[in-house]
Amino acid sequence: MSVPAVETRMDVALDRHIPMGVVRDTAAIIQRNLIAYRRVPQLLVFSTIQPVVFVVMFRYVFGGALSAALPPGVPYVDYLMPGIFVQTVVFGAIATAIGLATDMKSGLMERFHALPMARSAVLSGRTLADTVRNVFVVALMMAVGFLVGWRVHTDVWGLLAGAGLVVLFGFSMSWLFATVGLAVGDPETAQAASFPVLAPLVFASSAFVPVETMPEWLQTFAEHQPVSVTASAVRALTLGGPAAGDVIASIVWSVGLIAIFGTISVRLYRRAV
């Protein structure tokens, strides 16, 4: 009676080292993280309220004052929405830091480590689940944008390419904030530690205003940092004009961030478990 059980454990152990085992375990972790939104829908509702508030506030409160800084013929709402898309995925990535820190503090990671599953599935499943959430939130924000007057001046392919860049950038931000969550290991500390990281990225950028309106000493950073580059690429894809340089720069930033913070996150995860 014990032989089949031993064979089953060996099969499972071997399965950890083949791609299908990794895919299966990652899918299970993605499902586990997404179920949380179904059981506690308030998590998704409140994560979408903040970007909607930003749209309304900047569109109708600050838009009149900020329009004067834009090139002639560019409505502020068309300039604003690409920045809102990028800002949304950056803020949303905090959930990755808090989620991983919560799993560490609760001891769930040690239980995952004791199971016959691929160790990489814990991190890849978390970041991919947050990417699925980003797809939903970006689609929702596009609908909100159309309601407040945002228009695409190119074509549907430009819109889809812009959305793809935002989702890829959100995936890279998930790895950055996964590093923050694993480094601090406490959900409340992870939330507090995330703000100093995201604040300069979002607010010292071209997400809401042109960098030319900023002090000269800040313009170089604001123009070349990843949030500005990605927002500029999405604007070029939806407003028209040369887009190749900004698109390539955005992809390079995203892939580079994934490579750097993915490596750091894996090392922190191995040290934690």
Side-chain angles (χ1 to χ4, degrees):
M1 293 297 291
S2 62
V3 174
V6 172
E7 289 179 346
T8 300
R9 287 195 296 272
M10 292 179 63
D11 289 342
V12 172
L14 288 172
D15 201 25
R16 297 171 58 184
H17 302 289
I18 63 176
M20 283 308 299
V22 175
V23 172
R24 181 199 60 202
D25 295 341
T26 300
I29 296 296
I30 292 173
Q31 183 181 15
R32 175 250 177 189
N33 290 326
L34 292 179
I35 285 176
Y37 292 108
R38 191 178 66 186
R39 293 178 176 172
V40 190
Q42 297 91 332
L43 292 174
L44 193 57
V45 171
F46 285 106
S47 67
T48 56
I49 287 178
Q50 179 264 335
V52 172
V53 170
F54 268 69
V55 170
V56 174
M57 184 172 62
F58 278 90
R59 170 74 173 90
Y60 296 108
V61 179
F62 301 134
L66 298 173
S67 295
L70 298 179
V74 178
Y76 181 66
V77 66
D78 292 345
Y79 179 91
L80 170 68
M81 289 311 300
I84 290 290
F85 300 147
V86 179
Q87 171 261 330
T88 298
V89 298
V90 175
F91 273 81
I94 296 177
T96 306
I98 297 174
L100 286 174
T102 301
D103 289 345
M104 286 180 65
K105 191 173 184 180
S106 67
L108 185 62
M109 284 194 177
E110 282 78 2
R111 279 182 275 173
F112 281 149
H113 185 59
L115 294 174
M117 60 182 290
R119 297 179 67 178
S120 59
V122 177
L123 295 182
S124 58
R126 165 63 66 175
T127 53
L128 288 173
D130 291 338
T131 301
V132 173
R133 183 206 56 214
N134 280 341
V135 171
F136 169 78
V137 175
V138 169
L140 176 64
M141 296 313 302
M142 285 185 173
V144 173
F146 283 121
L147 288 176
V148 299
W150 174 57
R151 296 294 180 264
V152 176
H153 297 260
T154 52
D155 54 28
V156 67
W157 300 113
L159 176 63
L160 293 176
L165 279 182
V166 173
V167 172
L168 175 63
F169 184 64
F171 184 59
S172 72
M173 287 291 101
S174 290
W175 283 106
L176 189 158
F177 285 98
T179 301
V180 174
L182 291 168
V184 300
D186 177 81
E188 293 181 355
T189 308
Q191 185 172 15
S194 296
F195 187 76
V197 178
L198 70 85
L201 286 175
V202 172
F203 296 108
S205 74
S206 66
F208 307 120
V209 296
V211 296
E212 292 77 12
T213 63
M214 301 177 186
E216 289 187 6
W217 59 267
L218 187 58
Q219 289 185 15
T220 301
F221 168 78
E223 185 175 359
H224 299 288
Q225 57 117 318
V227 169
S228 293
V229 169
T230 303
S232 297
V234 178
R235 285 191 190 102
L237 290 167
T238 55
L239 282 170
D246 287 326
V247 170
I248 292 173
S250 175
I251 293 173
V252 169
W253 262 116
S254 296
V255 173
L257 289 171
I258 293 169
I260 293 171
F261 290 103
T263 302
I264 297 174
S265 295
V266 169
R267 289 182 178 178
L268 290 174
Y269 173 71
R270 287 175 176 170
R271 188 184 304 170
V273 298

